Amino acid sequence: MHFIDVILPIPIQKTFTYAVTEEEAVFLKKGMRVAVSFGKTKMYTALVLNIHQTSPVLYEAKDIHQILDETPLVNEKQLKHWQWIADYYMCSLGDVYRAALPSSFLLESETIIFKNKSFSDESILTDNEYLIFEALSNQSQLTIHQVSSILGKKKVMPIVNELINKEVITIKEEIYEQYKPKLVKYVRLHASHSSDTSLEILLNTLARAKKQREVILCFFQLMSAKKPIKVKELEEKSNVSSSIIKSLVDKNILEFYTIQTDRIQFNGDTNDLKKLNTHQEKALTEIKESFKDKDVTLLHGITSSGKTEVYTKLIKEVLDQGKQVLFLLPEIALTTQIITRLQFYFGEQISVFHSKYSLNERVEVWINILENKSKAKIILGARSSIFLPFSNLGLIVVDEEHETSYKQFEPSPRYNARDAAIVLAKIHGSKILLGSATPSLESYFNAQQNKYGFVSLNKRHGNVLLPKIELIDVKEKQRKKEMSGHFSDRLLTLIQEALDLKEQVILFQNRRGYSPVVECNTCGISPQCPNCDVSLTYHKFKHELRCHYCNYQRAMPNSCGACGSNTLDNKGFGTEQIELELKTLFPNYNIGRMDLDTTRGKNGYQKIIGSFENKEIDILVGTQMLSKGLDFENVSLVGVLNADSMLNFPDFRAHERAYDMMVQVSGRAGRNKKQGNVAIQTYNPYHKILQQVSTTNYTEMYKEQLQERWQYKYPPYYRLIKITLKHRDYTKVDNGVNWLFKALYSSFGEHVLGPTTPVVSRVRNQYIKNIVIKIPPKQHLSNTKQQLQKIKNTFEAVKDFRPIRFIIDVDAY
C-alpha cells in the first residue's frame, strides 16, 4: 500500500494520511494538489507533503478523490519556509497554506442534489420542499446555490436535510475549478479561403451586403500589420456590431479562434538606469561590500535621498545573473508609484502581487513565477508576496522596513513579512536589503550589534536641504483666538504662500471620517456601537454614524437617544471634516482626500495619486497612507494637524511610531529643487519626541528609546508573545483568563503581564482579554513555545473553556 501525507487548508495542527494506488504514488510529487474528502461530506483541496508506505495508526486511511495537478504547484523551498512560519508564529500549516495560495487554487466543493427516482408521494411535501421537487423534475441536478435562489433564502440546508430524510433526494459533493484563463477572441480568414484569396473575389460575393463588405475591407487593412486581429479591434475599426461579423463567420468567410492571454501586461521599453550621484554611488559600493560577509544589510537613507535609484542598480545586477528579485512594499498605495518608476527601467519583467488584484490575476502571477517566466523576474508586492513560488531568488528588497503594515494581525498566520523575508532569503541563499529613513529600533539595534551590515545615505538627492520644521503651539493660539476651525493662522499663511507659488500642499490627520465622537451637550452621552465598545464615528458625506471596527452603520440621529434633547455636538475631527473646512477656506482650489473611504476600489489609489501628480489637486488631506515613501516633486508644504493623538497612545512603541510617522510625512516636502516647509500643530511643543522630529535626530531618539526599552524589559532586548482570549460571554472569558494567568505564572513567573482589558474591550460582540509573556534574552525561545503549547492544550481540554477563541501572536508589537 502507498500513502500520502497532506496539508488541508483548515486550522488543524497535524497533517492527514490518505491512501493512493501504486500508479498514483509514482505520478504524485511533493507540492501537488489532490482533492480529498474530510469529515462526513466536505471535499477539500489538499497539498501533498510526503509520499510513503507507512499506514496511519489511529484511523484507516481514506482514498483520495482525484489528482488536480500534473506538476507541483508549490516547491520544496516554499514548503520549508511555510514550515518555519508555522513553527515560529505558532500556527498550523493549514493556516499558512490557506494564506499563501490564491483562493482560486483552493477548489471548494459544491453540494449537488439529485432526485430519487423511486419517490412518488408528493402529498408529504411542504410548499418549499415541493418547489425543489418540481425544479428537479425539469432539471437532472441542482446546486445548493441554485436551491437558494429558487427559494429566495440564504439558509436552505434544513429544507435539504428534510428532503433527504423523506428520501426525496440524494446528494453528492462535486469539486469545481474557480480559475478560468482569459481567452481573447481573434478572427481570421476561414480555412476554405487561403490567404491568397483576393479581396476582389470576396467583395464580389458580398455585392449586396454593404456593411459586410466594409468589414472585409477593414479586415484586409488590419492584415497588412501581420499581427493577429482581435474581434473587438475589427468591430471598432469597421464601426459595425458583432452580429455582422458573426454573419460572415456563418457564411464561412471568416472564423473565430481564441488565444490565452495574461490579464495584466506591462509594456514599455527598457531605458538606461539613471546615473547615481557620488553619495548614492558610495552607498551602493558599501552595500555590495557588506553583502560579501553579511546576508542582511540595513540602508538608513534620509527621506528623498534616492534609495529607489540605489535599489534599481542592485536589481539590475541580480537580473543580469538570471535570478529573481522580490521588492516588498508596506502599502498598496506605494506600489502604484514604484511600478511606474521600475517599469521605466525594466519594462515587462515586472509582476505585481497584492490583494487589490483579482483572484485570476493573482493566479497568473503565481504560475508565471513558478515557471520562472521572463515577465516575472521582478515581483513587486505587499506582505503576502513572500509566499510566492520562487525558485532562484537572488535579492529581496524590503522598502520602508519599519512599517507596521508588514505585520499580519488577523487572521492567522500572524507573521511579520520583514522577518519572514529574512528567513526566505536564507533558504534561497540570497541577499536581503532593508531600507528606511526611520529604521525600526530592532533593525538598527541588530546593525549596531554587527548582526546586519549597515550603510547610511544622509544627503538628499540634488543636495536639497531637509525641510524646515516648525512646531505650532495650539494652546497658545487658542488663547489668543488665532485659530479658525482646526487651522492656526500660521498654518493658513503657509498654505496660502505655497498655493500662490503654484505649489502643492499635503495635510496629515490620522483619523478618517468627520468626527470620532458625537456627544450630547445636555447629558454627555454619545452614540455607541451595539457590537463593539467604541463610540460611533460621524461621516458627514453620507450623514451617518459608522463603527470602524465592525462596519455597523446607522443614520445620524436628530436628538439624543438617552435624554431626547437635540443638542448633539461633534468632538474631535477626521479627514472628512478637514476637507470640508478647506473647501470653505480655499474655495478656488481643488481639495482631495486619501483615506480608507476614498481608496476602496482596485484603482482607487491610482486615481488619487495620479491626479495629485498631474497637479489637478492643490491640497491633499490624508491619513497615514500619505506618509509612506510617495514622491511628489511639487509639494513644498506638509502640515500635521494634530501631533498629540499619535503620542498619547497606550503602547510601548507609541513614541517610536509617532517619530517615524512625522519624519516620514515631513519627508514628502521639498523633494525636488528647494527646501520645503513642515508645520506641526500640537498642544505640547516641548515634548521630547517633537523636539527630536524638529531636528530630525534619529540617533538621539534611538538612544533614548533603547534606554527605556532596557529599563522596562521590551524588544529588542526581550521578546513578546501576546495571548488573546475572545468570547461572547464576559464571565467565560474572565474565568478563562484567570485560570490561564495562574498556569502561565507557575511556568514563567513575573515575566507574565496581565490579564488586561484592551482599550476597545469588545469587538463584534466578542469580549477580549489579553496576557503578555516577556521572554528574557537568555531564555530559549522554542522551549518557551513548547511550554506555552502544552498550557494551551490543557486549557482547551477544559470543557468550559473550549468555546473560547485562543489566539497566540508571536512578536505581537
Short mmCIF file of all heavy atoms in Angstrom, two decimals, residues 118-125 168:
data_model
loop_
_atom_site.label_atom_id
_atom_site.label_comp_id
_atom_site.label_asym_id
_atom_site.label_seq_id
_atom_site.Cartn_x
_atom_site.Cartn_y
_atom_site.Cartn_z
N SER A 118 -37.33 6.69 -7.29
CA SER A 118 -38.40 5.83 -6.76
C SER A 118 -39.43 6.59 -5.91
O SER A 118 -40.43 6.05 -5.49
CB SER A 118 -37.80 4.69 -5.93
OG SER A 118 -37.04 5.27 -4.89
N PHE A 119 -39.16 7.91 -5.67
CA PHE A 119 -40.09 8.67 -4.81
C PHE A 119 -41.33 9.13 -5.61
O PHE A 119 -41.19 9.64 -6.73
CB PHE A 119 -39.37 9.90 -4.22
CG PHE A 119 -40.28 10.77 -3.39
CD1 PHE A 119 -40.60 10.42 -2.08
CD2 PHE A 119 -40.86 11.92 -3.93
CE1 PHE A 119 -41.45 11.21 -1.33
CE2 PHE A 119 -41.71 12.70 -3.18
CZ PHE A 119 -42.01 12.35 -1.87
N SER A 120 -42.56 8.95 -5.02
CA SER A 120 -43.76 9.38 -5.77
C SER A 120 -44.80 10.10 -4.91
O SER A 120 -45.64 10.82 -5.43
CB SER A 120 -44.41 8.15 -6.42
OG SER A 120 -44.71 7.21 -5.40
N ASP A 121 -44.74 9.97 -3.58
CA ASP A 121 -45.81 10.52 -2.73
C ASP A 121 -45.60 12.02 -2.47
O ASP A 121 -44.97 12.42 -1.49
CB ASP A 121 -45.84 9.74 -1.40
CG ASP A 121 -46.98 10.21 -0.52
OD1 ASP A 121 -47.83 10.99 -1.01
OD2 ASP A 121 -47.03 9.81 0.66
N GLU A 122 -46.13 12.88 -3.37
CA GLU A 122 -45.90 14.33 -3.25
C GLU A 122 -46.67 14.95 -2.09
O GLU A 122 -46.38 16.05 -1.65
CB GLU A 122 -46.31 15.02 -4.56
CG GLU A 122 -45.47 14.58 -5.73
CD GLU A 122 -46.01 15.10 -7.05
OE1 GLU A 122 -46.79 16.07 -7.03
OE2 GLU A 122 -45.66 14.53 -8.10
N SER A 123 -47.69 14.25 -1.59
CA SER A 123 -48.57 14.85 -0.57
C SER A 123 -47.83 15.14 0.75
O SER A 123 -48.25 15.98 1.54
CB SER A 123 -49.75 13.92 -0.29
OG SER A 123 -49.24 12.69 0.21
N ILE A 124 -46.69 14.45 0.99
CA ILE A 124 -46.00 14.68 2.28
C ILE A 124 -45.06 15.89 2.23
O ILE A 124 -44.39 16.20 3.20
CB ILE A 124 -45.20 13.42 2.72
CG1 ILE A 124 -44.12 13.07 1.68
CG2 ILE A 124 -46.11 12.23 2.98
CD1 ILE A 124 -43.09 12.07 2.19
N LEU A 125 -45.02 16.57 1.10
CA LEU A 125 -44.07 17.69 0.96
C LEU A 125 -44.69 19.03 1.38
O LEU A 125 -45.86 19.29 1.10
CB LEU A 125 -43.59 17.80 -0.49
CG LEU A 125 -42.88 16.57 -1.09
CD1 LEU A 125 -42.48 16.85 -2.53
CD2 LEU A 125 -41.64 16.22 -0.27
N VAL A 168 -36.54 11.96 -0.73
CA VAL A 168 -36.95 12.59 -1.98
C VAL A 168 -35.71 12.80 -2.87
O VAL A 168 -35.77 12.71 -4.09
CB VAL A 168 -37.64 13.95 -1.71
CG1 VAL A 168 -38.13 14.59 -2.99
CG2 VAL A 168 -38.76 13.79 -0.71
#
